[in-house]
Amino acid sequence: MTSAHTCDLAVIGAGFAGLACARRAAERGLSVVVLDRKREPGERIHTTGILVKEAWEEWSAPNKLVRRVGRVRIHTASQQSVELKRNDYFFLATDTAALLRHMVDETRGAGAEIRFGEKYAGATRNGTRLDLDGVGVSCRFLVGADGARSRVAASFGLDRNVRMLKGLEWEFEPLASVGNCLHCFIDPECAPGYIGWVVPGVGITQVGLAVHRHRPADMRKFVDRIDGLFGLSGRPVLGRRGGVIPIGGLLRNFHGDRVLLIGDAAGMVSPLTAGGIHKAYRFGRVAGDAVADHLDAAGGPHPGEVVRRAYPRQSWKRVARWSYDRLPVARALEAGLLTRGLFRKLAGKVFFDRFV
């Protein structure tokens, strides 16, 4: 029998969180193996790929892979709108597949081994190690960064995401009508539970919806509804992407003996905005450092405890999510119950995480 390849850390999932963790752990001197079931990096994108300023500061991307967007315009179902902008803040649309390929190259450059086409099938405890079933890898510690429906979580009896949105996005040719602005649509008919959006992407225009997971996402209806603003009618759909988005917040039981969940697998997504890439970058790095400290001869605390202490409580976002799900927010906006000045403050808090 061929002996297993041994390493300090195995990471399941070569997305934003998994790569951030693997790179940091490799920089700290650990031997790291990353396994991903996709055949190549960037295959089957499940995210709109928008970076907030803080995410870009965590792991800056080459200019050719991003487009800076400095304005946000909020639209109601009756096509009233208000624009938000801060001179010191921006978002970045990304060529998401190319960005992931770039991150893979940098993570490999840090010393991590990354294998594509390798599906996680479970793990068997073997003394102080975990033997990964069917892939010939044995590790001292395992990180599950394998998405909202984590197989690692299921195999170790950890908590799994229950509250989720489903997102769908169509890609069109670049459209001058979109401008350099992130357009968000509060439309309870087309986007129950979240919003619709139009993004000036890198070489494309991204049009998407996110809705409660048990509600239909009628993209054609949404595209027709906003056609007067952007002129989408008759234009071919160049690509499609989609997936589920956890919005329940950080899971209570997201780590165990020699195992830790990060990223979407751990619910590390804003309950309100459904943004997760910044948290993937940040807490992927936190986890990589914490695993290195834990496996050091001095024996640091369990990485899960470190991550939990560092993770923000986000109480106001959970309250806002509860309100958005249960109160007639869209009707209140349409009826003018919120003054435009107050709306600007609330929307600024949501999009910029501060009052404007």
Side-chain angles (χ1 to χ4, degrees), residues 49-122:
I50 295 178
L51 306 181
V52 295
K53 176 185 176 183
E54 293 85 356
W56 179 81
E57 291 170 344
E58 292 279 350
W59 195 332
S60 60
N63 289 335
K64 66 180 180 179
L65 302 183
V66 299
R67 176 175 177 173
R68 186 174 296 208
V69 180
R71 297 179 292 128
V72 178
R73 180 165 287 276
I74 312 297
H75 303 258
T76 67
S78 65
Q79 298 189 5
Q80 300 179 60
S81 66
V82 62
E83 187 169 295
L84 307 171
K85 181 180 180 180
R86 282 192 65 99
N87 292 332
D88 63 343
Y89 203 88
F90 57 84
F91 300 87
L92 293 167
T94 67
D95 180 340
T96 314
L99 177 59
L100 285 167
R101 290 192 292 270
H102 170 75
M103 291 178 64
V104 164
D105 289 343
E106 290 200 332
T107 303
R108 282 176 168 153
E113 177 184 352
I114 305 178
R115 303 182 189 178
F116 288 94
E118 296 275 12
K119 186 175 180 180
Y120 175 78

Side-chain angles (χ1 to χ4, degrees), residues 120-185:
Y120 175 78
T124 302
R125 298 188 184 278
N126 181 8
T128 60
R129 307 190 69 85
L130 296 171
D131 296 339
L132 305 190
D133 300 341
V135 294
V137 172
S138 178
C139 61
R140 298 170 65 195
F141 202 92
L142 178 66
V143 166
D146 52 338
R149 296 185 174 122
S150 171
R151 292 176 178 267
V152 174
S155 69
F156 282 87
L158 301 176
D159 286 352
R160 306 182 72 185
N161 293 291
V162 176
R163 298 187 61 207
M164 292 190 280
L165 302 172
K166 61 182 177 183
L168 179 64
E169 189 172 89
W170 287 0
E171 298 172 359
F172 294 86
E173 65 191 271
L175 298 173
S177 56
V178 177
N180 192 36
C181 183
L182 169 59
H183 298 266
C184 299
F185 294 82

Side-chain angles (χ1 to χ4, degrees), residues 188-216:
E189 184 178 351
C190 286
Y194 192 46
I195 59 171
W197 61 86
V198 177
V199 179
V202 180
I204 56 173
T205 297
Q206 299 168 233
V207 180
L209 284 175
V211 304
H212 285 305
R213 63 183 300 192
H214 299 302
R215 299 289 293 274

Side-chain angles (χ1 to χ4, degrees), residues 225-254:
R225 178 165 291 190
I226 63 176
D227 183 60
L229 293 173
F230 306 111
L232 296 168
S233 179
R235 298 182 186 273
V237 178
L238 305 180
R240 291 176 169 84
R241 62 177 85 175
V244 294
I245 309 163
I247 56 168
L250 183 66
L251 299 176
R252 182 182 300 274
N253 182 27
F254 69 97

